[in-house]
Amino acid sequence: MSIERFGTPKQGALPFAKAVRAGGFLFVSGQVPRDANGEIVHGTMLTQAKVTLDNLKRAVENAGYSMDDVVKVEAWIDDPRDFGDFNKVYAQYFSAEHAPARVTVQAKMISDVRVEVACTAYKENN
């Protein structure tokens, strides 16, 4: 089985890749609402969830997968009252036909964000 890393850290950065492909599996590290410059995008859950899921989608697609290939999602939200708004945005990225398994938990975030999302995707003959 071959292993390929995507978005590996630059010198002095945190020691993890944005995504790692192992065989047909793709493991995407937790994504948060950061813009292209790495700055936190502040705002409501609706805003932060969209930026976070855009980042997740970009990491999935940069590795040659699609959101339909995602088989599991892990989501952490800071405030459980934001669960409904998170789901509104989430539903725009995952169709009912290709809905992945998912876990969503409340967690105190390390940085000033409302949400973090990671996923696992799978594609045969990759």
Side-chain angles (χ1 to χ4, degrees), residues 26-81:
L26 178 71
F27 303 93
V28 179
S29 295
Q31 301 297 302
V32 295
R34 290 191 186 276
D35 65 18
N37 296 320
E39 299 295 321
I40 298 290
V41 176
H42 298 280
T44 66
M45 173 58 82
L46 294 170
T47 299
Q48 287 201 354
K50 181 178 182 343
V51 173
T52 297
L53 288 163
D54 282 347
N55 290 341
L56 186 82
K57 182 178 180 187
R58 189 173 307 106
V60 167
E61 291 176 348
N62 284 345
Y65 290 71
S66 76
M67 295 299 270
D68 289 346
D69 297 320
V70 174
V71 295
K72 172 117 189 257
V73 171
E74 299 90 25
W76 298 268
I77 60 175
D78 189 57
D79 186 338
R81 294 172 292 191

Side-chain angles (χ1 to χ4, degrees), residues 1-124:
M1 170 176 33
S2 65
I3 295 176
E4 185 176 3
R5 290 168 174 79
F6 300 88
T8 54
K10 295 179 173 78
Q11 185 67 26
L14 296 174
F16 63 86
K18 278 197 177 190
V20 175
R21 179 175 35 220
F25 285 97
L26 178 71
F27 303 93
V28 179
S29 295
Q31 301 297 302
V32 295
R34 290 191 186 276
D35 65 18
N37 296 320
E39 299 295 321
I40 298 290
V41 176
H42 298 280
T44 66
M45 173 58 82
L46 294 170
T47 299
Q48 287 201 354
K50 181 178 182 343
V51 173
T52 297
L53 288 163
D54 282 347
N55 290 341
L56 186 82
K57 182 178 180 187
R58 189 173 307 106
V60 167
E61 291 176 348
N62 284 345
Y65 290 71
S66 76
M67 295 299 270
D68 289 346
D69 297 320
V70 174
V71 295
K72 172 117 189 257
V73 171
E74 299 90 25
W76 298 268
I77 60 175
D78 189 57
D79 186 338
R81 294 172 292 191
D82 285 335
F83 186 73
D85 284 344
F86 174 73
N87 280 325
K88 285 178 192 173
V89 178
Y90 181 89
Q92 298 170 21
Y93 291 82
F94 296 102
S95 68
E97 180 182 350
H98 294 105
R102 185 178 108 183
V103 60
T104 305
V105 297
Q106 178 185 7
K108 183 67 179 149
M109 299 293 156
I110 292 172
S111 58
D112 189 22
V113 299
R114 296 174 179 264
V115 62
E116 182 171 351
V117 182
C119 74
T120 302
Y122 179 77
K123 192 161 70 167
E124 288 191 45

